[in-house]
Amino acid sequence: MIERLELLLKEAETSIQNASDSKVLEETRVKYLGKSGLVTEALKGLGQVAPEMRPQVGKVSNEVKNRIAELLEQKKEEFESKGGASLPVGWDPSLPGRQSSLGKMHPLTRVQQEICDIFRSFGFDQVEGPDVETDYYNFRGLNFPLDHPARDAHDTFYLSDELLLRTHTTTLQVHVMEKHQPPLKVVAPGKVYRNEAVDATHHHIFHQVDGFLVAEGVHFGHLKGILDSWVKKFFGSKVETRFRPSFFPFTEPSAEVDISCVFCQGKGCRICKQSGWVEIMGCGMIHPAVLENCKVDPEKWSGFAFGMGVERVAMFKYDIDDIRLFYQNDLRFLRQF
Ligand code: DAH
């Protein structure tokens, strides 16, 4: 009996030592110490042992049981201190986990969508057009005659004498009105191009949102109302607008829209050059010549139009002082949005 118990202890020792994880260890415990485990079963034979031998056999069996329990406990602790049963060698569970990063929209895409979403909430439809345009859609249709000095501000990249990269998304006014008769309310976001030296406020590719509304009896008051509402939704309800006379060939009269400086609330600062106002977009009443070019009767219909640079608006909204930051793909910049 004693021999049998000592043999079981040896076996159990080897099994415990070789256990690869806590599951195997638990199986070993059940195998030897469980209700019908080998040690438990062996002890059932105690009744057949000669009475004078019983105390000694009882003592050894207790020692064997305790020793096995102790070995099991030691091995369990060893597993726990390693942080788990089946950890690969050299794996350090105390290292911080690797996070997978989620992509998100570029700030310009987001701002462009925010601009258009507000106009869409006013009932405007959103359209897109081609980046490569004819001289007609970019200039002549919009009342820029050949050799007109207003073309100087719109120098661009030419693919041929007639084909060019559009300098504004105002081209969509001609595209849309050629195909659809008023009433019309449209916003047109997209990329535009200029033959421009790159610096902190200029880039040869940038983005614009142009918009227009044509209906019966539309006047400058409607234009002011819509643009003032847009400004208050986009920049905040306390921001004021002011309309300054300007010139565009495709609008008459024309104006620039200024907003009270969002950084100093109109008091005067570095960004508004101490004036309290910053220019945010161009606008005006659509020139009758543009309506006529599109076979829309200017005696019956009138409309207003506006156009803004997405980068410029984003730079004011987020106090960004260099347009080039938008195109450098520097994650330290992009992650802030
Ligand atoms: N297209 C003009 C530009 O790029 C901006 C502009 C001004 C658009 C007045 C308009 C407008 O629709 O009415 O400089």
Side-chain angles (χ1 to χ4, degrees):
M1 179 95 181
I2 290 179
E3 266 171 35
R4 165 88 183 127
L5 285 167
E6 278 170 353
L7 190 69
L8 284 176
L9 175 60
K10 275 226 165 66
E11 270 179 36
E13 252 172 12
T14 318
S15 303
I16 293 168
Q17 223 159 48
N18 295 339
S20 55
D21 57 36
S22 47
K23 195 169 155 251
V24 176
L25 195 64
E26 174 60 11
E27 282 164 12
T28 311
R29 187 191 69 77
V30 174
K31 181 174 171 193
Y32 291 96
L33 304 184
K35 261 199 191 141
S36 37
L38 294 172
V39 176
T40 322
E41 288 294 322
L43 288 178
K44 284 181 187 159
L46 201 59
Q48 281 120 48
V49 173
E52 66 278 14
M53 288 295 285
R54 274 183 209 157
Q56 207 200 334
V57 176
K59 191 172 162 247
V60 172
S61 64
N62 273 335
E63 279 169 8
V64 166
K65 254 164 76 176
N66 291 343
R67 179 71 188 139
I68 294 178
E70 193 185 341
L71 289 171
L72 284 165
E73 192 56 30
Q74 270 173 15
K75 191 73 181 176
K76 198 171 148 205
E77 272 167 25
E78 195 182 304
F79 282 147
E80 276 166 8
S81 73
K82 274 192 195 154
S86 51
L87 294 182
V89 184
W91 190 81
D92 179 355
S94 67
L95 284 173
R98 256 179 238 152
Q99 286 194 340
S100 55
S101 51
L102 269 186
K104 54 183 169 179
M105 268 193 279
H106 190 278
L108 286 178
T109 311
R110 246 190 49 198
V111 169
Q112 185 169 290
Q113 283 188 3
E114 275 172 38
I115 295 170
C116 293
D117 283 352
I118 297 173
F119 284 112
R120 293 222 311 260
S121 78
F122 296 160
F124 284 65
D125 290 320
Q126 191 170 322
V127 299
E128 282 178 23
D131 291 20
V132 176
E133 276 293 8
T134 59
D135 184 277
Y136 179 78
Y137 286 105
N138 201 78
F139 294 123
R140 296 197 305 281
L142 286 166
N143 201 34
F144 287 78
L146 283 168
D147 302 324
H148 192 282
R151 286 187 178 227
D152 290 352
H154 290 254
D155 190 15
T156 184
F157 304 94
Y158 284 82
L159 289 93
S160 68
D161 284 347
E162 182 59 19
L163 280 182
L164 49 86
L165 294 180
R166 67 178 175 192
T167 61
H168 47 185
T169 55
T170 315
T171 51
L172 269 304
Q173 295 184 19
V174 185
H175 281 295
V176 171
M177 283 193 282
E178 265 184 353
K179 286 204 193 76
H180 306 278
Q181 280 293 304
L184 290 165
K185 281 164 108 175
V186 173
V187 270
K191 271 194 187 67
V192 298
Y193 306 81
R194 304 256 172 126
N195 182 9
E196 195 91 71
V198 173
D199 63 23
T201 51
H202 297 88
H203 207 262
H204 43 74
I205 304 178
F206 58 105
H207 300 78
Q208 282 188 342
V209 174
D210 195 278
F212 68 100
L213 181 152
V214 181
E216 275 178 271
V218 176
H219 55 72
F220 206 89
H222 295 124
L223 164 62
K224 288 180 78 174
I226 288 276
L227 293 185
D228 187 66
S229 305
W230 179 84
V231 162
K232 289 188 163 47
K233 288 219 154 163
F234 187 82
F235 287 104
S237 55
K238 295 210 173 63
V239 177
E240 309 271 353
T241 48
R242 125 181 138 170
F243 292 74
R244 262 185 307 111
S246 184
F247 171 80
F248 301 103
F250 40 90
T251 46
E252 183 61 35
S254 306
E256 302 281 357
V257 184
D258 294 342
I259 58 168
S260 54
C261 179
V262 285
F263 298 104
C264 62
Q265 284 74 45
K267 289 187 201 80
C269 67
R270 165 186 70 83
I271 289 169
C272 61
K273 301 196 181 89
Q274 309 306 327
S275 73
W277 296 93
V278 287
E279 185 191 311
I280 209 77
M281 65 177 122
C283 66
M285 300 305 293
I286 298 178
H287 198 292
V290 175
L291 298 175
E292 272 166 9
N293 287 340
C294 305
K295 313 271 182 308
V296 170
D297 180 4
E299 295 297 323
K300 180 168 183 215
W301 305 101
S302 58
F304 65 75
F306 52 88
M308 67 185 92
V310 177
E311 280 80 349
R312 191 175 169 77
V313 166
M315 286 165 83
F316 280 125
K317 185 145 179 165
Y318 298 111
D319 190 11
I320 297 164
D321 60 6
D322 196 322
I323 196 172
R324 290 168 288 200
L325 288 165
F326 288 120
Y327 316 114
Q328 287 163 343
N329 284 336
D330 185 334
L331 292 179
R332 290 169 302 178
F333 172 75
L334 296 174
R335 284 205 178 106
Q336 297 175 62
F337 296 94

